[in-house]
Amino acid sequence: MGKILGLLLRKIQKRMRNSAGFIRDIRATIFVFIISVIGVEVCLLGGFNEALGVADLQRNSFVICITLFYLLFCIIGYMINLFEDGKMGIVLSVIVALPLGVLLFRYRHIALLLALIIAVGLRLILGLISWQQQLIKYGIFLMGAVAVFLWYFYDCFETVNTLNRILFAAIIVISLSSIQQILVEKNKGEFPFHFFLLLCLFILIIPVKPKPLDWSRVQSLAGKLADASDNVAYYFSGIYDNGNYDTGYSNLQVKVGKVKKSNKNQLTLTTSQIPYIVYTDSTTGKQMKGRKVIYLQGQQGVDNRQLVEFLQFLYNHNVDRSKAGIFSQISKISIEYVYLTTGDEIVPRGVISLKASGGEIHKKGYKEDTVYLDIDYGSPVFMQLCEEKAVDKSPLSYEQMCKYTNEIYRMDLSKIISKQEYEASLLDDDLSEFEALPKDDKNLHDLALKITKLADNDYDKCRLIEGYLRQYPYTTDAVGGYDKQSTMATADGMGDIAGRFLFDTKEGYCVHFTSSMVMLLREAGIPARAMSGFRYLYPYERQKEYKVQANCAHLWPEAYIDGIGWIPFEPTSAYYSSEEVTWHRGEGEKAVDNGDVMESLVQIAPEIPAGEKADSKKVDKGFVVTVVVIIVLSIAVLIGFAIAITVLIRYVRYKHASLDERLIMDVESIKLQLQKSADSQIEDRGLLSDYLVLVADNLKPEVQHSFNLYYKVLYGGKTGTITKEDSIRTHQLVEAISKS
């Protein structure tokens, strides 16, 4: 009797589990969406996407793919559970990922493949653990805290777009649902989960005013308190450092030691130019997409002499406007100080003019608008000019130079440099400061001569030294010179740092590489200096603002080449050299007016992912059809497999059941067959008489007999009352009804 009641109870429980399981899957899908958004944001902040080979990762698309894949697995699992429930349904639901993964790998959709792998992992983890609901219940509060932290400290989720609105609506809804589970006893007046889903939908459809509420008075008071505490924490964060240093802008007098990465925002950049270049690969013929790099330097400010020397260099090599446009352009950028403990002006390399446009000078909120001469030092055309001898070395007059500058850059030089400043810049400059050598320099001197012995000119010497140093490994876990007090402020300090790096530790970061190149250049007879600032690698996508974090702080060397001026180099092996980030412009390209060179490229070639053809934005219909076919076939195979397993289990269970249990199973099958043949849905009230009216007249006596036996087994209080003949008779009745 107990076994029979248990059989009926299992059927009822299975239906309830399927319904409750579907609700749990919907809740888990929303939680997966939240995890995905926050996880991808952290990944982009830390640059982990580049390590995974998806440098151009698109947050919104990636998150949507993870969520849809997870939802697909949940739907497949729900369909399988209609036939056979249990953990096996969860495992079977992700089998569809195997052919999909192979297809995505074959077509090199790495981002989609990564999204699929993440979705599979989350489905297995959340589906197989017994404490899934507990994880979501308490994990949502952690996710909410992380989201608020990223928003407050790293300016994430500031853009008002659909995905960000869904994120915070989802966090609110799951949080309210979790609070209810914690505070309200189950089935004691709690709201069903679909109530919270409707609340989420309501939050999303509420229109957002373009103009926010005026919180200026509250913000003014709170902002002062927050800024004060934040500034104090930032300025004094490195007092107790145990010999370690956080990355960030500094001058050359800072001692060298182990470096800890810091993601603190130090600058905000604003520019109208696009942050990437599009070019045709000469080997494959494919259109490629590369990120631009900008160097921001401190201490120098506007250097009129450098501008004049460079313009004279162009004139001496008969460079016209078309040729100048291949490797140089006039650009504009606005720089805002965030958390920067310096009195230096931070400006783009090659700055021509700067103008303060807001805030207290060199304090948080200080903003400056700059114009700078952007030069592609890795351009083959520019590098060839540096190796050639000048055609004419006679300096131009002020008027001639103004005319020449207007011809090649469409820029009025007279608004930037006065005649008096121009003439002063033509006078010989004292470079003795940049020729100073350390006291003990024999090893450095011998190494410099060894590296540069095959060079024909100073520029080639610089490139040879740069290439030599780029062989050394990069690490932030490095030490300074033999003397712990050595800094880059003096020749002896740089010599000490360089000597230990080159001949002893043989690994380091930008301080070590720059010190070494400056010293080796000077030993080779070339004036050299170290520059401090930031090296910022733009993202692949255009943004309203670009955040320069402390871990972008950098040092690099510059060499003075007679007839050219100061030229920067990149010996630090962790970063691309100038040749590797060239603009890839060739001869014969049309020069473009100030600041519009990069804009014109958008019209020539649309925005494309790195390494793909220009028409890759078009939908690959064959690929889409293949994906759909694989999903449909996989679902069909999985459902067929589930049905086969269900039939097999029922057969084995029926074969090994007692005669009483077989009768119960057969009567349940009769009820199911009658329900399928009925014109309307029958509510199962537990009365077999409701089903008897649906039976054909010729079968009614047999069905009535089986129903009577059913009641006898169920309520008779005894087992073993069913004979073998009764069991066979009832089973044959099931087959007869199914055929009728």
Side-chain angles (χ1 to χ4, degrees):
M1 184 70 180
K3 290 184 178 180
I4 297 171
L5 291 176
L7 182 65
L8 295 174
L9 183 61
R10 281 198 299 272
K11 290 182 176 292
I12 297 173
Q13 288 176 337
K14 181 177 179 180
R15 294 179 182 178
M16 294 178 63
R17 281 199 304 270
N18 284 343
S19 177
F22 182 73
I23 297 299
R24 285 197 303 270
D25 283 342
I26 294 297
R27 192 164 184 257
T29 302
I30 298 174
F31 187 68
V32 164
F33 168 78
I34 296 170
I35 292 177
S36 301
V37 176
I38 295 174
V40 171
E41 198 69 37
V42 172
C43 179
L44 293 175
L45 281 174
F48 302 120
N49 55 309
E50 295 184 15
L52 294 172
V54 282
D56 57 344
L57 183 67
Q58 303 299 308
R59 188 197 71 162
N60 293 8
S61 303
F62 191 69
V63 168
I64 291 172
C65 287
I66 293 175
T67 308
L68 290 179
F69 279 137
Y70 186 89
L71 184 60
L72 173 65
F73 299 147
C74 290
I75 293 173
I76 295 174
Y78 179 75
M79 296 172 69
I80 293 174
N81 285 337
L82 293 176
F83 303 96
E84 189 62 37
D85 58 357
K87 301 295 184 182
M88 186 56 66
I90 296 170
V91 176
L92 291 176
S93 69
V94 299
I95 289 181
V96 68
L98 292 176
L100 271 180
V102 172
L103 182 68
L104 294 174
F105 181 77
R106 180 183 176 185
Y107 282 85
R108 293 295 185 269
H109 291 285
I110 304 302
L112 275 175
L113 178 60
L114 184 60
L116 179 66
I117 294 172
I118 293 173
V120 170
L122 290 172
R123 173 60 176 166
L124 292 176
I125 292 172
L126 293 178
L128 295 178
I129 61 175
S130 59
W131 36 276
Q132 178 205 91
Q133 291 305 302
Q134 293 293 103
L135 175 64
I136 297 176
K137 184 194 301 184
Y138 297 105
I140 186 61
F141 301 113
L142 175 61
M143 290 296 101
V146 172
V148 172
F149 177 84
L150 293 174
W151 167 76
Y152 184 80
F153 290 99
Y154 292 96
D155 301 325
C156 299
F157 317 119
E158 282 193 332
T159 306
V160 180
N161 57 36
T162 303
L163 196 76
N164 288 343
R165 291 189 66 192
I166 295 176
L167 170 65
F168 284 97
I171 291 175
I172 291 172
V173 166
I174 300 295
S175 297
L176 291 176
S177 173
S178 298
I179 291 172
Q180 175 182 250
Q181 290 181 1
I182 295 171
L183 299 181
V184 180
E185 187 179 351
K186 190 173 183 180
N187 299 326
K188 296 292 184 179
E190 65 176 7
F191 291 104
F193 185 69
H194 61 259
F195 168 81
F196 296 100
L197 290 178
L198 292 174
L199 177 62
C200 178
L201 181 63
F202 178 73
I203 293 173
L204 291 175
I205 64 175
I206 294 176
V208 179
K209 292 184 177 180
K211 185 177 180 181
L213 296 174
D214 184 11
W215 294 91
S216 57
R217 294 184 179 180
V218 177
Q219 187 179 15
S220 177
L221 177 60
K224 290 179 180 179
L225 295 174
D227 282 348
S229 61
D230 208 3
N231 290 338
V232 169
Y234 178 70
Y235 293 145
F236 292 95
S237 61
I239 290 181
Y240 304 104
D241 52 21
N242 295 320
N244 294 339
Y245 300 89
D246 285 341
T247 52
Y249 176 79
S250 62
N251 56 36
L252 303 180
Q253 296 179 348
V254 173
K255 299 173 187 176
V256 185
K258 297 180 181 180
V259 173
K260 297 181 297 182
K261 293 288 185 179
S262 171
N263 293 326
K264 193 74 172 181
N265 288 335
Q266 294 203 308
L267 297 171
T268 298
L269 309 181
T270 308
T271 180
S272 60
Q273 295 175 331
I274 63 174
Y276 56 84
I277 57 173
V278 178
Y279 63 95
T280 302
D281 185 84
S282 58
T283 304
T284 63
K286 294 182 179 180
Q287 281 200 291
M288 307 289 286
K289 184 176 180 181
R291 298 160 71 180
K292 289 191 66 181
V293 175
I294 185 172
Y295 283 78
L296 305 165
Q297 64 189 28
Q299 300 178 307
Q300 280 301 117
V302 177
D303 189 350
N304 291 332
R305 180 184 294 275
Q306 173 64 16
L307 175 62
V308 171
E309 281 188 291
F310 184 78
L311 292 171
Q312 185 68 43
F313 162 72
L314 298 182
Y315 177 79
N316 291 343
H317 288 78
N318 294 327
V319 175
D320 57 14
R321 181 167 180 260
S322 177
K323 196 169 188 177
I326 295 174
F327 57 83
S328 61
Q329 66 184 37
I330 304 297
S331 299
K332 298 178 181 180
I333 194 168
S334 295
I335 303 173
E336 182 178 350
Y337 286 36
V338 184
Y339 292 109
L340 202 58
T341 55
T342 181
D344 297 338
E345 290 283 358
I346 306 298
V347 295
R349 187 168 64 190
V351 64
I352 295 172
S353 68
L354 64 89
K355 176 184 177 184
S357 58
E360 185 179 352
I361 187 168
H362 300 160
K363 300 291 185 180
K364 183 181 179 183
Y366 172 63
K367 190 174 183 180
E368 56 189 20
D369 299 326
T370 67
V371 178
Y372 65 103
L373 180 58
D374 196 3
I375 301 172
D376 179 9
Y377 291 99
S379 166
V381 177
F382 175 79
M383 295 170 70
Q384 184 179 358
L385 290 176
C386 292
E387 294 174 348
E388 293 177 353
K389 292 184 178 180
V391 178
D392 182 12
K393 288 192 175 183
S394 59
L396 295 176
S397 67
Y398 179 68
E399 291 75 16
Q400 290 173 323
M401 184 59 79
C402 288
K403 180 180 178 182
Y404 178 66
T405 305
N406 186 58
E407 288 176 357
I408 60 173
Y409 291 124
R410 297 292 188 263
M411 180 177 68
D412 188 352
L413 186 65
S414 64
K415 293 183 178 180
I416 300 172
I417 303 176
S418 66
K419 185 174 183 179
Q420 184 178 2
E421 291 172 332
Y422 177 79
E423 293 175 348
S425 66
L426 296 178
L427 301 177
D428 291 336
D429 193 16
D430 182 11
L431 299 175
S432 58
E433 176 188 354
F434 310 113
E435 297 171 332
L437 297 171
K439 296 175 182 178
D440 183 13
D441 65 341
K442 185 180 185 306
N443 290 337
L444 290 172
H445 182 75
D446 292 344
L447 180 59
L449 295 181
K450 181 180 178 181
I451 296 171
T452 61
K453 63 182 179 180
L454 299 178
D456 296 328
N457 53 66
D458 285 350
Y459 181 70
D460 285 344
K461 290 181 180 179
C462 296
R463 292 188 60 199
L464 286 171
I465 293 174
E466 179 189 42
Y468 175 82
L469 292 173
R470 290 184 65 82
Q471 301 176 89
Y472 284 76
Y474 177 91
T475 179
T476 56
D477 188 16
V479 295
Y482 294 104
D483 184 353
K484 293 183 179 180
Q485 303 302 316
S486 293
T487 70
M488 298 181 67
T490 64
D492 288 334
M494 277 196 285
D496 184 36
I497 296 169
R500 190 173 186 184
F501 167 70
L502 291 170
F503 308 113
D504 186 358
T505 59
K506 298 183 180 180
E507 62 178 9
Y509 49 95
C510 58
V511 171
H512 305 83
F513 286 92
T514 299
S515 296
S516 299
M517 185 160 184
V518 169
M519 287 294 98
L520 291 174
L521 286 171
R522 292 182 185 180
E523 294 289 354
I526 302 172
R529 66 188 183 188
M531 300 300 296
S532 178
F534 297 89
R535 177 191 180 276
Y536 179 68
L537 184 65
Y538 282 102
Y540 278 107
E541 299 302 323
R542 202 167 188 169
Q543 297 179 3
K544 183 179 179 181
E545 296 178 334
Y546 303 94
K547 305 293 184 181
V548 180
Q549 297 178 339
N551 56 25
C552 295
H554 189 45
L555 287 105
W556 64 92
E558 291 188 348
Y560 184 83
I561 310 296
D562 186 34
I564 305 177
W566 291 101
I567 298 181
F569 292 89
E570 186 53 87
T572 305
S573 57
Y575 302 122
Y576 291 125
S577 64
S578 56
E579 293 96 320
E580 293 173 305
V581 290
T582 180
W583 300 344
H584 295 278
R585 298 182 192 169
E587 293 278 7
E589 292 191 12
K590 185 179 178 181
V592 185
D593 289 337
N594 299 350
D596 297 328
V597 176
M598 299 307 297
E599 294 288 348
S600 67
L601 284 177
V602 179
Q603 301 170 8
I604 297 171
E607 177 183 334
I608 56 178
E612 294 188 355
K613 295 182 180 179
D615 61 353
S616 63
K617 280 286 183 180
K618 297 179 181 179
V619 177
D620 188 342
K621 295 181 179 178
F623 174 75
V624 173
V625 170
T626 305
V627 170
V628 172
V629 169
I630 287 178
I631 292 175
V632 172
L633 288 178
S634 299
I635 293 175
V637 170
L638 289 172
I639 292 176
F641 181 74
I643 293 174
I645 291 293
T646 302
V647 172
L648 179 62
I649 291 174
R650 287 179 179 176
Y651 172 78
V652 172
R653 186 182 295 170
Y654 187 87
K655 186 176 181 180
H656 291 84
S658 65
L659 295 178
D660 291 356
E661 290 173 341
R662 288 185 181 184
L663 180 76
I664 295 295
M665 293 180 187
D666 287 335
V667 170
E668 289 295 329
S669 297
I670 291 173
K671 290 168 61 179
L672 182 63
Q673 294 293 337
L674 293 174
Q675 281 181 336
K676 290 180 179 179
S677 62
D679 295 332
S680 58
Q681 184 67 27
I682 299 176
E683 182 181 357
D684 190 354
R685 301 185 301 164
L687 299 176
L688 296 180
S689 57
D690 292 341
Y691 294 91
L692 194 60
V693 297
L694 301 174
V695 181
D697 293 338
N698 61 324
L699 296 176
K700 274 186 180 181
E702 289 295 321
V703 172
Q704 181 67 64
H705 175 71
S706 296
F707 283 178
N708 291 336
L709 292 175
Y710 178 86
Y711 282 127
K712 183 179 180 181
V713 170
L714 200 61
Y715 303 112
K718 295 182 180 180
T719 58
T721 58
I722 302 300
T723 65
K724 188 175 182 180
E725 290 74 15
D726 290 334
S727 177
I728 295 174
R729 183 176 172 184
T730 304
H731 190 68
Q732 291 175 343
L733 183 61
V734 174
E735 296 177 355
I737 292 176
S738 63
K739 293 178 181 179
S740 63

